[in-house]
Amino acid sequence: MAYNTPSDLRYSKTHEWVRQEGDEVVIGITDYAQHALGDVVYIELPAVGSTITAGESFGIVESVKASSDLYAPVSGEVVAVNTALESDQAPINSDPYGAGWMLRVRPSGESAELLDAEAYAAFVAEIDH
């Protein structure tokens, strides 16, 4: 199956995406991840002002199928959280790269291994048989 993998983003092997916006990055989960999870019914995200660490869990997403940790693709300070997702998780499934964004972070320089769209699409193709 072909998943939406925008070329202007970077991707982690734990299926989070990163979009650079000035000196901040926006983070969410990929189209592949939301498809694998199914309908998201709950999300737990860190508070504004907290610090996340690349490669470590920063939250939880629960769906009708499973509960999964969310892993930080970068280290930094959380400067905004998409609080609209607390009451309505549907955008995570319907618009994972837009209204389904999760965090805005001011990175501190550290990041997990991030892939470009082509490399991430190849990675997903390998695991999606």
Side-chain angles (χ1 to χ4, degrees):
M1 177 172 181
Y3 299 97
N4 181 12
T5 310
S7 62
D8 61 327
L9 305 179
R10 294 292 172 257
Y11 302 88
S12 70
K13 287 188 173 184
T14 53
H15 310 291
E16 290 80 19
W17 57 262
V18 177
R19 178 173 50 240
Q20 188 77 41
E21 292 187 357
D23 63 350
E24 297 174 352
V25 296
V26 179
I27 298 169
I29 63 170
T30 65
D31 185 41
Y32 171 81
Q34 71 78 22
H35 188 269
L37 283 166
D39 290 338
V40 175
V41 295
Y42 174 79
I43 186 162
E44 183 179 298
L45 296 171
V48 170
S50 61
T51 300
I52 62 172
T53 302
E56 294 186 8
S57 175
F58 70 81
I60 297 170
V61 63
E62 291 182 10
S63 71
V64 293
K65 292 182 185 177
S67 176
S68 297
D69 283 328
L70 298 165
Y71 292 96
V74 299
S75 293
E77 179 188 353
V78 177
V79 295
V81 175
N82 188 349
T83 55
L85 297 177
E86 292 169 6
S87 58
D88 179 16
Q89 300 81 32
I92 296 169
N93 293 113
S94 62
D95 189 12
Y97 301 114
W101 70 276
M102 295 178 179
L103 304 178
R104 181 176 287 272
V105 173
R106 186 171 298 115
S108 61
E110 256 182 70
S111 70
E113 180 187 358
L114 297 177
L115 308 173
D116 63 19
E118 189 176 327
Y120 180 73
F123 172 70
V124 167
E126 284 293 311
I127 59 174
D128 193 40
H129 299 79

